[in-house]
Amino acid sequence: MSTPFRSLQRTEAEARAALLTVESYDVSLDLAADEATFGSTTTIHFDSLGGPTFVDLKPVDVHRLVLNGRTLDPDTLDRGRLPLETASGPNELVVEATMRFRNDGEGLHRSVDPADGRHYVYGMSFMDAAPSVYACFDQPDLKAPYTFTVRAPEDWTVVGNAPATNPEPGLWRLGPTQPLSTYFVTVVAGPYHLVRDEHDGIPLGLSARQSLAGALEADAEELLTMTRQCFDEFHRLFGIRYPFGDYHQAFVPEFNAGAMENPGCVTFRDQLIFDTRVTRGLKMSRATTVAHEMAHQWFGNIVTPRWWDDLWLNESFAEYMGVRVTADVTEYADAWVDNSYLRRQWGLTADLGPSTHPVAGNGAADAVSALQDFDGISYAKGSTVLRQLAGRLGDETFFAGVIDHLESHRFGNATMHDLFASWEKAGAGDLAGFTDQWLRTAGPDTITLDRAAGTLLRTPPAGHPADRAHSFRVAVAREGRWEVERVAVDGPETTYDAGDAPVLIDPFNDTWAAAVPDAATVAALPALLPDVEDPALVAGAWNNVRTALHLAQVDPAALVDLAVARFPVEDTGDFPHVAVPRRTIPWLFQTLLPLAPAGSLERLHEAVVGRLATLEAGSEEQLAAFRAAIRSASDPDLLRRWTTETPEGIDADLDLRWRVLVRLAVLGATDAAELDAELAAAPTAAATVEHTRARASLPDAEAKAWAWSRFTGDVDVPNYELEAAGLGLWQPTQPELTAPYVDRYFAELPGTAAVRSGWVLAQAAEAFFPFASLERSTLDRARALLDDPALEASVRRRLADCTDRLARMLAVAEAHPR
Ligand SMILES: [Zn+2]
C-alpha cells in the first residue's frame, strides 16, 4: 500500500530555494542488513535565511531526527514531509531511517535474477523518488555535492555518481561528487559483472547482471567504441570537458525507461544487453540511447532546469544531439531513418491527442503533472523543432549559444529564457516569433494536397491558433520515378500542382506537421513502394499512411494492400512490447489488423513468408521478417516446427522460442503446464516476462483471472511482468473470455492508485486498457470514467490518451465496416 505523498508545488519549491542554500549531503546506506528494507542515514549541511520549511522523506520507519543538535518528533512527519524550523545561517540536519526496497523501478529497486537467485539493486531518483532513498530537499535547483558510504554484501560492487573506493570488504565510499540535483542521484549495487576501460583520461565502465556477463563481454567492444566516438564528438562540439569523473554505464534489471542520465553513472534497461540475436533497429535504438544519455551530461547535468517545466528542453536537446551524433560519428549513419520509424508517430499521436500541450512553458504546477508531459511531444516534436532551429541558425551560432549557456550556468540551474538569451547573444536575432509558433503553441498543423485545386492546404490545430511557416521536401512520383522538391508553405493555401503524380508530403521530417497523403497517392503506393531504394523515403511513406489512418482518412484495406506489396521489414526494431505501438510492424498487428477486412492476417502472413524467402540469410531484415511470420502464423504445426527448424541464417534461440510459445498460447495450442515447464528449463529474466505474456494470452478463464490478479495487485509482480500480463490478457480473438474485464477495468482502475504509484501506475492503466473491445459502449464507459473527479491525475492522463486511441480506431471502423 503506498502512502498518498504530497507532490511538491512549484510555489513551494520557489520559496524553499529562496530560503536555503544546500552545502553538502552525506548519505550512508546499509544494503546488507535485510532483503526488504535498508538503512539510510543522511546528514545535510545547509544555509538558511531562517524560518520554517520542510525536508522530503518517505521512510518505513524513522529512528533519529536531529536539527542543529535538537531532536525532532518523528510524528510530525506528514505524507512525505518533515517540517523544519531552520536557524539563520548554517544548519545541520541528521536523519536516520529505514527505507523500503521497491520493485517498481523507482527509488532503490531490488530485483532477484530468476536465472541464479542473485540480488541486484539500483537507484532511480527521477522524478520524485529520491526521498524514498534518503532525506533531501527534493527539487532540481537545490544542488549540492554528495558523499556516500555504502555497506553491502561482500561479493557486491558499488558504483555511483563519483568514483568509488572499497577500503574494506563490504564497505564502499564515493565522492564528494560535483554538485548534483536530487533527481539524478544514484547508487548501483550488487554482484554485477564489470568491464572497465579508459578513453581520453576518462575511466569507462560497463556493468550487467552475472547471468548477462557473456553477453556484456560480447557487446562491450561496440558499446565502448561508440562511447569513445561520442565523447570525442561532444568535446569537439561543446569545447567543454566531461566533468563527472568516471563514465559508468550500468545495465540494470526491470528499468522503466530506456535509460536515465545520472551524472557519471547512467542506468539503462538491461534488455539492451543482447543475449539473443537482435535486429539492427534495436542496436540502433541502443546506440542513440547511449548518445542521448551522453548529451545529457552537458545538457541537464552540468546545467539543470530550474523547474520541471523546462525538462522538455533536456529531452528535446538530448534527443536531437543523440541522433545527430550517432548518425555523424558511429557506425549507425542511418540513425535518422530509425528515428523516423521510432519517434515520428509517437510524437504526432501525442500532439494530435486530447492531452496535447505546448512543447514549452507548460507551467507544471507540481512534479506529478510535469511527469505527465514526458511524452512524444517533449522528445520527438521538441527535437524536430531544435533541429529546425539549428538548421536556421547554422551550427556556428547554434553551438555558440549552447556553449555560452553551459558556461554561464555551469553546475547550476537555468531556464529556457536563459538559453534563448544565449542564442540571441550569439547572433541568432529575435527568436520570439519562432518560439511562440513552435514551442508555445500546441498541436501540429495538418498539411494535405488538394489535387484538383493544385494547392497544399495548411490547417492549424483546432483550438490552438497558429500561423507557422513550413519548409519541407515532397517526393513526387513522375512516371514511376521519385523526384524530391522543396516547398515553402507559409499560408493556408500554397500553389502546388503535381498533376496526377503521387505525392508524399514531408517524408524526410523536415518540419513538424501531420502530413496526409491523398487517396490517389495511397492507391498508387502498392505499385510504387516495392521499388523505392531510399530507406528514408520508405519510412516517410509509412509515416504518411499511418497519419492518414490515425485521422480516419484512408481505408484500412488499402494499407493492407500496401503491407502485402512491401512488408515493412526495414523497421526492424520490434521492441519493447508496448500497448500503443510506435514502430511499423507492431502497428500493423495492433492497430491496422483489428480494423482490416477478414482474411487480412492470412494475406499478411503469406506476404511476409514470401518476403522472408527473398531476404539474405543472416540479415537483420530476415530476422524481422521471421519474427513477423511467427506473429502472423495461425498453423500450430508450422509454429512447432519453427522451434527446431528455422530458415538458414536464423538460429532457434530463446527469444524466438518464446515468440513461438506466445503465439501458440494466443491460438490455444499450448497450456499453462507446458509454459511453466519451458520457463523452468531456462528461467531467465526475459523468459519470465514472456512466460507471463504467454500465460495471460491463453484462451481460458483461468488465464484471464491469473492476469487480472496482477492488475488489481492481489498478486504483486515487478513492473515488466505486470505490463506483459495486461498486453497478454486482451486478444481480439477472445472476446467472450475478455468481455467481463471491460467493465471490471473501468470499475477497478481507480483503485489501482492505492496499490502502486509513479511510472507503473500509468503504465498498467495503459497495458490493461481494453483496446481489443472495439465497441461504442467501451468508449462510453471510458469517457464516463474520465468525468470522475476523484481519478488520480496520472491515471486520468493515460486513460484520456488510451480513450482517444480507441475513439480513433472506432472512427475508422465505422467509416470502413469490415
Ligand atoms: Zn533523456
Side-chain angles (χ1 to χ4, degrees):
M1 210 63 152
S2 64
T3 323
F5 297 115
R6 281 183 287 174
S7 189
L8 183 70
Q9 303 291 307
R10 180 181 197 149
T11 48
E12 294 170 331
E14 283 167 354
R16 195 159 63 173
L19 187 72
L20 307 182
T21 309
V22 187
E23 297 299 326
S24 67
Y25 282 92
D26 189 274
V27 180
S28 195
L29 302 173
D30 183 357
L31 310 181
D34 182 39
E35 291 185 2
T37 61
F38 60 96
S40 167
T41 302
T42 312
T43 303
I44 315 176
H45 286 106
F46 61 95
D47 277 337
S48 174
L49 298 176
T53 186
F54 57 92
V55 72
D56 301 288
L57 177 63
K58 301 173 180 174
V60 179
D61 204 1
V62 177
H63 309 297
R64 204 161 65 93
L65 300 169
V66 182
L67 178 64
N68 301 327
R70 239 190 61 235
T71 300
L72 307 178
D73 178 4
D75 287 343
T76 60
L77 180 65
D78 176 26
R79 287 175 293 161
R81 294 181 182 183
L82 178 73
L84 302 175
E85 187 60 42
T86 63
S88 178
N91 287 255
E92 183 194 71
L93 175 70
V94 181
V95 174
E96 205 180 305
T98 298
M99 305 289 203
R100 195 185 312 283
F101 286 115
R102 295 168 65 168
N103 72 351
D104 62 359
E106 298 189 63
L108 219 48
H109 179 101
R110 184 172 185 131
S111 79
V112 183
D113 187 346
D116 56 19
R118 288 186 168 103
H119 289 234
Y120 295 90
V121 166
Y122 64 85
M124 177 62 168
S125 297
F126 187 85
M127 135 182 285
D128 58 0
S132 68
V133 182
Y134 64 100
C136 56
F137 300 110
D138 190 22
Q139 62 189 69
D141 60 343
L142 284 172
K143 286 187 172 182
Y146 286 69
T147 51
F148 296 91
T149 306
V150 182
R151 281 249 166 238
E154 291 186 7
D155 61 335
W156 286 22
T157 303
V158 177
V159 294
N161 300 107
T165 58
N166 185 197
E168 60 181 77
L171 180 70
W172 298 79
R173 293 191 198 284
L174 301 88
T177 67
Q178 300 285 12
L180 304 179
S181 296
T182 47
Y183 78 83
F184 45 55
V185 168
T186 193
V187 164
V188 177
Y192 285 95
H193 179 75
L194 267 82
V195 174
R196 293 197 187 279
D197 210 304
E198 182 274 343
H199 177 65
D200 189 17
I202 303 167
L204 304 178
L206 302 170
S207 57
R209 284 181 279 136
Q210 288 296 337
S211 61
L212 290 174
L216 180 69
E217 292 286 346
D219 280 2
E221 187 54 43
E222 175 173 329
L223 286 165
L224 291 168
T225 298
M226 197 182 306
T227 305
R228 291 188 197 103
Q229 291 166 330
C230 292
F231 262 130
D232 290 349
E233 181 68 354
F234 284 122
H235 283 147
R236 186 184 76 79
L237 292 170
F238 297 141
I240 297 170
R241 290 276 304 174
Y242 167 75
F244 295 106
D246 293 14
Y247 192 70
H248 193 91
Q249 298 175 91
F251 292 82
V252 299
E254 296 164 344
F255 197 72
N256 285 321
M260 175 67 205
E261 67 265 23
N262 315 300
C265 186
V266 175
T267 41
F268 295 81
R269 57 166 61 212
D270 68 9
Q271 291 163 317
L272 293 173
I273 294 299
F274 307 132
D275 61 349
T276 53
R277 197 167 152 231
V278 299
T279 54
R280 182 175 168 82
L282 185 50
K283 286 187 227 164
M284 200 143 26
S285 291
R286 179 173 75 179
T288 51
T289 305
V290 165
H292 175 116
E293 304 312 323
M294 293 180 76
H296 273 311
Q297 303 304 316
W298 284 264
F299 214 94
N301 295 359
I302 293 179
V303 179
T304 308
R306 183 163 301 290
W307 180 245
W308 303 121
D309 65 336
D310 272 331
L311 267 180
W312 69 272
L313 193 54
N314 271 12
E315 294 315 333
S316 306
F317 190 87
E319 178 85 357
Y320 167 58
M321 292 306 301
V323 181
R324 174 181 162 149
V325 166
T326 302
D328 287 354
V329 304
T330 76
E331 66 182 284
Y332 300 109
D334 47 343
W336 283 113
V337 176
D338 192 65
N339 185 256
S340 179
Y341 280 120
L342 180 63
R343 299 297 214 194
R344 188 70 167 184
Q345 291 300 316
W346 181 39
L348 270 182
T349 302
D351 209 16
L352 288 163
S355 315
T356 185
H357 53 84
V359 174
N362 290 297
D366 60 31
V368 167
S369 60
L371 186 60
Q372 308 319 310
D373 286 340
F374 249 72
D375 54 13
I377 294 171
S378 295
Y379 288 77
K381 183 179 183 180
S383 111
T384 305
V385 172
L386 283 186
R387 190 184 179 193
Q388 283 181 53
L389 182 65
R392 180 180 145 148
L393 301 183
D395 265 4
E396 200 178 316
T397 305
F398 183 80
F399 284 108
V402 171
I403 290 165
D404 181 71
H405 181 74
L406 294 172
E407 284 175 345
S408 306
H409 308 282
R410 184 178 172 84
F411 296 131
N413 299 80
T415 67
M416 165 186 169
H417 301 285
D418 296 323
L419 177 62
F420 279 77
S422 287
W423 269 323
E424 287 175 16
K425 194 169 135 194
D430 182 5
L431 293 170
F434 180 87
T435 54
D436 278 353
Q437 291 297 328
W438 294 103
L439 297 174
R440 294 190 181 282
T441 305
D445 291 345
T446 302
I447 298 180
T448 50
L449 174 67
D450 184 340
R451 194 177 287 279
T455 52
L456 283 167
L457 303 178
R458 184 196 69 182
T459 311
H464 304 285
D467 181 14
R468 299 172 177 136
H470 299 266
S471 168
F472 55 85
R473 287 165 286 175
V474 293
V476 192
R478 294 202 173 91
E479 284 149 25
R481 285 179 50 85
W482 290 93
E483 294 168 11
V484 175
E485 301 168 353
R486 187 166 279 276
V487 295
V489 169
D490 48 15
E493 293 183 14
T494 302
T495 302
Y496 183 77
D497 187 359
D500 296 336
V503 178
L504 291 171
I505 300 167
D506 189 27
F508 306 108
N509 306 329
D510 296 317
T511 190
W512 182 260
V516 186
D518 71 332
T521 301
V522 174
L525 280 176
L528 289 168
L529 203 59
D531 295 327
V532 174
E533 283 174 9
D534 178 358
L537 187 57
V538 177
W542 281 108
N543 276 320
N544 261 236
V545 299
R546 287 184 63 176
T547 301
L549 190 78
H550 189 75
L551 297 173
Q553 293 186 17
V554 67
D555 185 341
L559 302 192
V560 174
D561 291 345
L562 181 60
V564 166
R566 180 166 181 163
F567 195 90
V569 289
E570 296 82 359
D571 188 4
T572 58
D574 62 337
F575 170 96
H577 304 275
V578 288
V580 179
R582 295 182 190 171
R583 288 186 177 274
T584 315
I585 296 174
W587 167 83
L588 279 180
F589 287 107
Q590 288 167 245
T591 302
L592 181 61
L593 266 180
L595 301 169
S600 295
L601 178 68
E602 292 72 17
R603 288 185 65 207
L604 279 182
H605 182 69
E606 220 171 282
V608 76
V609 169
R611 189 88 202 265
L612 184 61
T614 67
L615 294 165
E616 192 190 330
S619 67
E620 311 288 344
E621 290 80 6
Q622 182 204 24
L623 182 59
F626 187 59
R627 289 173 170 183
I630 293 171
R631 191 161 176 180
S632 57
S634 302
D635 175 358
D637 294 335
L638 175 67
L639 285 162
R640 293 225 173 251
R641 201 156 64 239
W642 277 343
T643 60
T644 50
E645 278 172 47
T646 46
E648 192 200 332
I650 293 176
D651 292 331
D653 62 19
L654 197 61
D655 173 79
L656 285 176
R657 187 168 188 85
W658 275 104
R659 285 174 192 265
V660 169
L661 288 164
V662 167
R663 186 62 191 156
L664 286 170
V666 172
L667 296 170
T670 178
D671 57 25
E674 184 188 15
L675 296 173
D676 293 352
E678 286 282 347
L679 179 61
T684 68
T688 305
V689 175
E690 294 314 306
H691 169 266
T692 298
R693 191 186 319 281
R695 279 227 40 189
S697 303
L698 287 168
D700 63 67
E702 187 274 332
K704 302 308 170 193
W706 186 90
W708 197 254
S709 66
R710 280 141 179 81
F711 181 56
T712 57
D714 290 341
V715 177
D716 182 33
V717 291
N719 42 2
Y720 288 8
E721 288 162 58
L722 178 65
E723 187 179 18
L727 298 182
L729 188 155
W730 295 103
Q731 299 295 336
T733 50
Q734 302 168 358
E736 293 83 10
L737 285 165
T738 55
Y741 294 99
V742 177
D743 276 351
R744 290 191 65 178
Y745 175 81
F746 296 111
E748 295 172 35
L749 174 65
T752 60
V755 294
R756 58 185 72 98
S757 65
W759 183 293
V760 293
L761 175 59
Q763 196 76 359
E766 182 174 295
F768 281 85
F769 186 91
F771 289 117
S773 176
L774 264 182
E775 307 283 343
R776 232 343 100 179
S777 58
T778 304
L779 184 61
D780 293 342
R781 289 293 317 262
R783 287 180 171 157
L785 182 55
L786 283 171
D787 287 338
D788 178 355
L791 202 60
E792 196 274 346
S794 71
V795 172
R796 175 191 308 285
R797 170 65 181 271
R798 199 62 69 98
L799 180 65
D801 291 340
C802 292
T803 303
D804 180 59
R805 177 168 178 242
L806 184 70
R808 289 180 183 280
M809 289 178 74
L810 264 174
V812 176
E814 287 168 3
H816 303 279
R818 297 176 60 165

